[in-house]
Amino acid sequence: MQRFVLEPERKTPVKAHTDVLVVGGGSAGVAAAVAAARAGAEVILVERLGYLGGLATGGMIILLLTLDDGRGRQVVGGLCQEITERLVRRSAAYFPHRAEWGREDPELVERDRRWGLVWGHGPHRVRYSVAYDAEEFKYALNCMVEEAGVRLLLHSFAAEALIENGRLTGVAFQSKSGRFAILAKVVIDATGDGDVFASAGVSYEKERVLPWLWFVIGGVENVEGAIDAGGWFFRTIGEGRVLVPWGATERIARKIDATDPDDLTYAELECRKRVMEEVDRLRAELPNFKRAHICHIADQIGITESRRLCGRYVLARDDMDRPFDDAIAITGHWTKYGAVYFIPYRSLLPREFPNLLVAGRCISVDHRVHHATKEIPPCIATGQAAGAAAALAVGAGIDPADLDVKILRRHLEQNGAILSL
């Protein structure tokens, strides 16, 4: 029988009031916060860890897969393109030249495969995907948040959505200093796991997944020769370093529920044990790794999926290549060539609350479409759309659910987003 503890009634201090509250400082959350602030809103961004970027930085999934449609056309622009340009200015990114996108040249494809930019089944083409340095990505996000005037709070864990008269009035957080609340006109759930909308009682689906744990090894002698010798690892930014995307179906005993602390604990311990075994194997079996050392094991296990919003529209596999009048982003598919999804604004909107938006990997899509929309570029794109929508709604004195999507689309395109082909 389930036991319960009765807690005394308590008063939670209100730390701040704001126009837009963004919960989650991953790539989607940063994009939402920056877009909202640049559009004139007062914005607070709250992140549970001590850095920004989520899996795009601390998860060491340091590949932008992908900004194109697999046919040579760029489909993700806006803030994702801006981040890429910031990385380029600091010599912290690699991607193929625009003139090469879409080409089937085997030598170019092999070159990019070695950087981890080619996935899925062939025949392969050159894609506009980007390999980058995680610490430089963090720095780019920090600069963008600061320059936009976003108020940032780190080390604060979203505990509970606050609801009053059928509206989401804010979120309660827990930190080392205790519990506090932030009230807002609009809340954006960019937690990746849908922590805010789940606590608010919004409809969602949930999947169990196989966890991953990526890591970087340095001190590799002749990286190109090591790749030639065989093994699943890629070139990455920095001399003598390779990126190892550790994690595969046969290596983990079972799938996990990424919202269950028992499962997460199991995954953390098991994955780190397996990483060390893989490091030992590489040193013992591949001469190029004999003097190699671990540079960085991801701070976060790679969770590809957990909760997914059941919103006003669930983008489905049959919607591939289907334009929508309310499309606020486009994404290609990192393992398929030519597959495109137009992401409708309705996939960011829960049915239950008019002033709640969702961005990132937990938007309203089905399991198969999620395989495309979970990637970092579309997460940034939906984050930018959610942030812009929140700011425009606040400026008009309405809820995001009532916003004229034509105004939103025009604003996004003026800020570099690609919404049509």
Side-chain angles (χ1 to χ4, degrees), residues 35-292:
R38 288 181 180 178
E42 182 182 67
V43 182
I44 296 177
L45 170 62
V46 184
E47 163 58 33
R48 65 189 176 94
L49 299 174
Y51 57 85
L52 298 174
L55 291 178
T57 56
M60 296 302 293
I61 303 175
I62 47 178
L63 301 170
L64 298 179
L65 304 171
T66 174
L67 286 76
D68 77 340
D69 65 350
R71 294 174 178 160
R73 292 182 298 189
Q74 184 174 355
V75 295
V76 179
L79 292 179
C80 191
Q81 180 63 33
E82 178 181 334
I83 293 168
T84 301
E85 292 169 1
R86 285 175 179 255
L87 293 169
V88 168
R89 288 197 292 270
R90 294 183 57 84
S91 302
Y94 165 78
F95 56 89
H97 190 275
R98 178 182 290 270
E100 298 172 343
W101 301 348
R103 291 181 58 181
E104 297 182 358
D105 186 322
E107 290 186 6
L108 296 178
V109 169
E110 174 59 20
R111 176 200 64 190
D112 293 344
R113 184 193 66 79
R114 291 166 174 257
W115 282 92
L117 305 185
V118 175
W119 297 74
H121 300 289
H124 293 295
R125 305 187 192 101
V126 175
R127 306 205 63 170
Y128 180 22
S129 295
V130 182
Y132 61 86
D133 180 83
E135 294 303 322
E136 291 283 358
F137 200 98
K138 288 179 186 176
Y139 179 66
L141 299 185
N142 289 350
C143 290
M144 292 170 70
V145 165
E146 184 176 11
E147 292 164 7
V150 174
R151 179 180 176 184
L152 176 63
L153 280 178
L154 300 173
H155 300 289
S156 301
F157 202 105
E160 186 177 5
L162 303 175
I163 301 168
E164 186 175 335
N165 298 324
R167 293 180 62 79
L168 202 63
T169 57
V171 177
F173 295 89
Q174 190 70 38
S175 72
K176 287 185 179 293
S177 65
R179 187 178 172 95
F180 62 87
I182 297 177
L183 305 183
K185 296 174 184 176
V186 177
V187 176
I188 299 176
D189 186 342
T191 60
D193 295 310
D195 295 338
V196 175
F197 69 63
S199 73
V202 167
S203 299
Y204 65 85
E205 294 182 337
K206 187 165 66 172
E207 301 283 346
R208 300 176 69 87
V209 295
L210 292 161
W212 294 61
L213 190 62
W214 292 37
F215 61 100
V216 170
I217 292 182
V220 180
E221 298 177 6
N222 185 6
V223 169
E224 292 295 334
I227 294 174
D228 288 338
W232 200 33
F233 42 81
F234 308 121
R235 292 185 63 183
T236 192
I237 303 298
E239 282 294 320
R241 288 156 48 102
V242 299
L243 173 66
V244 186
W246 186 89
T249 302
E250 71 275 9
R251 297 186 183 181
I252 291 290
R254 60 181 174 85
K255 292 183 177 182
I256 68 163
D257 175 353
T259 67
D260 183 332
D262 287 325
D263 274 11
L264 288 169
T265 300
Y266 159 77
E268 292 278 6
L269 296 176
E270 187 68 15
C271 282
R272 293 187 187 279
K273 177 170 50 176
R274 301 288 185 176
V275 163
M276 300 309 288
E277 291 174 355
E278 179 65 4
V279 170
D280 291 344
R281 186 193 70 79
L282 289 170
R283 287 172 174 160
E285 297 181 8
L286 299 181
N288 301 85
F289 284 82
K290 186 176 181 180
R291 296 179 179 84

Side-chain angles (χ1 to χ4, degrees), residues 214-405:
W214 292 37
F215 61 100
V216 170
I217 292 182
V220 180
E221 298 177 6
N222 185 6
V223 169
E224 292 295 334
I227 294 174
D228 288 338
W232 200 33
F233 42 81
F234 308 121
R235 292 185 63 183
T236 192
I237 303 298
E239 282 294 320
R241 288 156 48 102
V242 299
L243 173 66
V244 186
W246 186 89
T249 302
E250 71 275 9
R251 297 186 183 181
I252 291 290
R254 60 181 174 85
K255 292 183 177 182
I256 68 163
D257 175 353
T259 67
D260 183 332
D262 287 325
D263 274 11
L264 288 169
T265 300
Y266 159 77
E268 292 278 6
L269 296 176
E270 187 68 15
C271 282
R272 293 187 187 279
K273 177 170 50 176
R274 301 288 185 176
V275 163
M276 300 309 288
E277 291 174 355
E278 179 65 4
V279 170
D280 291 344
R281 186 193 70 79
L282 289 170
R283 287 172 174 160
E285 297 181 8
L286 299 181
N288 301 85
F289 284 82
K290 186 176 181 180
R291 296 179 179 84
H293 59 272
I294 298 171
C295 293
H296 189 183
I297 300 175
D299 303 332
Q300 304 177 48
I301 52 174
I303 300 301
T304 57
E305 191 172 9
S306 56
R307 302 185 187 102
R308 296 192 317 275
L309 173 71
C310 294
R312 299 189 179 204
Y313 189 84
V314 179
L315 189 65
R317 186 185 187 188
D318 291 343
D319 291 320
M320 188 174 69
D321 297 329
R322 179 180 298 168
F324 291 98
D325 291 339
D326 65 336
I328 45 74
I330 305 175
T331 185
H333 197 302
W334 62 292
T335 66
K336 297 178 182 178
Y337 293 84
V340 170
Y341 290 100
F342 295 78
I343 303 173
Y345 183 47
R346 290 163 291 163
S347 287
L348 278 57
L349 295 171
R351 296 192 296 266
E352 294 84 352
F353 296 99
N355 65 328
L356 174 62
L357 286 155
V358 177
R361 75 165 188 254
C362 52
I363 63 171
S364 182
V365 299
D366 72 13
H367 176 61
R368 294 199 176 188
V369 174
H370 175 86
H371 195 56
T373 58
K374 69 177 175 59
E375 291 300 309
I376 299 165
C379 284
I380 294 174
T382 58
Q384 181 176 355
L392 293 172
V394 167
I398 59 175
D399 290 321
D402 299 322
L403 182 65
D404 184 344
V405 75

